[in-house]
Amino acid sequence: MRNDSGKKIVCIFIGNRLAVLQEIMRMERLELAHVFILKNSFLYKKRRAIHCPYTIFDNKDEEKIISRISSLDFDILISNGCPFVLPVSNMSRQGEIFLNIHPSYLPYFRGINPVNGILLKNFTFAGATMHFMDDDIDTGNIIFRQKFRVTADIDAGLLYRLVFDLEGIVFAEGMRKLIRSGFLYKGIKQKRLKGCYYTRSLSDMRLNLGSMRSAEILSKVRAFGVTGQGVSCRVNSINFKIFEAEAIHNKYVIMKFSLARAGEILLEYDGKVLLKTMDGIIKIKLFSRNGLRGARG
């Protein structure tokens, strides 16, 4: 690492998000030399705003991208949404630093899909972390992290926005911390927690209406209620994908449909569906049915 305060710190970036990259471009000490952009990501759509050489890649390009990174001359590699694990110990040369910015308050929710995991497990806080990279997944020493409380009014779409914006703040604070220390700061060792990884699975994104209670159904809908995700179920030979739902508490409605079977559609109106569960009724507010989108009320 260049310790001369008069020289620019040469950085390369790999990932799929924008907030951290914007902070890199704002910091006077940093010189952005190359950007590796995940195809069809949010960053891919904003790539015209990047004023340095960039390379577009997808998941199958892992070996090619690792080789390309290894051929570049840089001081710091910054990862933010890279879809594969970089073999840091094999790639790094003397003086190079590898950093990752992760959308959770590590060591909680390492892995690819922490936002879904936070909501699915009803975790009480979320956050973002900047850490040194090692050869494992999100386990390197922590440089800087910040968290906030997750309340019942935070849905998946909002939580994604909040943690991705926070990543930029955490990166800026962490980088200033490293610069002030002359890049001598080694970070705080992470705790090794059991069950701290989360990657979404098809089983997590499916509903069994005959055996699940309302609270579990609503928890899954909340955790995956964004475009491109949703939770799936089959009702009356029709495939539903649900993005938004809420419990019905009205005693008259509950009494009216008390003899209905779990999984039965009770009523459809204004693009919404009332659905019987094992222990109550839920209102499906946003959904697709056999690929056709329902309306939000």
Side-chain angles (χ1 to χ4, degrees):
M1 172 55 60
R2 308 174 188 196
N3 289 317
D4 186 340
S5 60
K7 289 186 178 180
K8 291 279 190 177
I9 300 162
V10 179
C11 302
I12 61 174
F13 176 94
I14 181 168
N16 62 8
R17 302 194 283 277
L18 186 59
V20 171
L21 187 59
Q22 288 176 324
E23 292 298 331
I24 296 170
M25 292 187 287
R26 289 190 189 109
M27 298 187 77
E28 293 184 359
R29 286 293 311 278
L30 305 184
E31 177 184 332
L32 187 61
H34 201 98
V35 176
F36 294 88
I37 304 170
L38 183 62
K39 191 174 183 180
N40 297 326
S41 65
F42 180 77
L43 182 57
Y44 176 80
K45 297 173 184 176
K46 301 291 184 179
R47 65 192 183 279
R48 303 302 179 195
I50 300 172
H51 303 298
C52 75
Y54 62 81
T55 299
I56 296 166
F57 72 97
D58 59 28
N59 291 358
K60 71 177 184 296
D61 296 326
E62 179 175 351
E63 291 186 9
K64 182 171 68 176
I65 293 302
I66 289 172
S67 176
R68 179 77 176 98
I69 290 172
S70 299
S71 72
L72 296 175
D73 181 24
F74 62 89
D75 298 310
I76 303 176
L77 177 142
I78 300 158
S79 172
N80 184 218
C82 177
F84 41 77
V85 179
L86 298 176
V88 174
S89 60
N90 293 330
M91 294 175 64
S92 60
R93 294 169 291 194
Q94 186 174 3
E96 292 178 346
I97 295 175
F98 286 68
L99 305 175
N100 184 51
I101 296 82
H102 181 71
S104 80
Y105 190 79
L106 291 176
Y108 302 99
F109 295 98
R110 300 180 179 119
I112 300 174
N113 309 118
V115 169
N116 299 128
I118 287 165
L119 296 177
L120 188 64
K121 307 297 183 183
N122 295 312
F123 217 63
T124 58
F125 60 85
T129 305
M130 178 177 175
H131 65 92
F132 291 104
M133 294 175 67
D134 55 23
D135 289 334
D136 209 340
I137 301 172
D138 306 322
T139 56
N141 286 7
I142 293 169
I143 300 165
F144 187 78
R145 60 185 173 174
Q146 189 170 320
K147 65 181 177 179
F148 59 90
R149 188 164 184 80
V150 175
T151 50
D153 53 341
I154 302 295
D155 58 30
L158 179 54
L159 188 56
Y160 272 112
R161 288 296 302 270
L162 293 174
V163 296
F164 289 167
D165 287 347
L166 184 58
E167 284 183 317
I169 296 168
V170 164
F171 168 77
E173 290 295 325
M175 183 55 66
R176 283 192 282 266
K177 190 173 188 176
L178 289 177
I179 291 172
R180 286 195 301 268
S181 75
F183 292 91
L184 297 176
Y185 180 66
K186 301 302 181 185
I188 300 170
K189 188 174 181 178
Q190 289 194 48
K191 296 179 181 178
R192 298 281 177 159
L193 302 178
K194 291 183 179 180
C196 62
Y197 290 88
Y198 183 76
T199 298
R200 62 177 175 255
S201 65
L202 290 177
S203 62
D204 284 342
M205 301 173 74
R206 288 196 186 109
L207 301 178
N208 186 334
L209 298 175
S211 62
M212 288 182 179
R213 295 182 177 275
S214 295
E216 184 179 0
I217 293 170
L218 294 174
S219 178
K220 288 196 173 204
V221 172
R222 182 187 181 208
F224 302 104
V226 293
T227 302
Q229 295 180 23
V231 292
S232 301
C233 64
R234 192 167 175 82
V235 184
N236 298 340
S237 301
I238 299 171
N239 294 317
F240 280 80
K241 186 164 280 189
I242 302 170
F243 302 93
E244 186 178 348
E246 65 183 15
I248 291 289
H249 300 291
N250 183 275
K251 291 181 179 180
Y252 174 75
V253 176
I254 293 170
M255 181 186 67
K256 178 179 175 66
F257 297 109
S258 61
L259 299 180
R261 300 184 309 273
E264 184 179 343
I265 293 176
L266 306 175
L267 192 65
E268 294 192 48
Y269 66 101
D270 293 337
K272 307 180 190 71
V273 174
L274 290 191
L275 187 66
K276 188 74 167 67
T277 69
M278 280 186 65
D279 61 343
I281 299 171
I282 59 173
K283 181 198 298 182
I284 311 300
K285 301 176 67 176
L286 186 64
F287 64 93
S288 65
R289 177 166 42 192
N290 287 338
L292 300 176
R293 194 82 163 184
R296 186 197 303 270

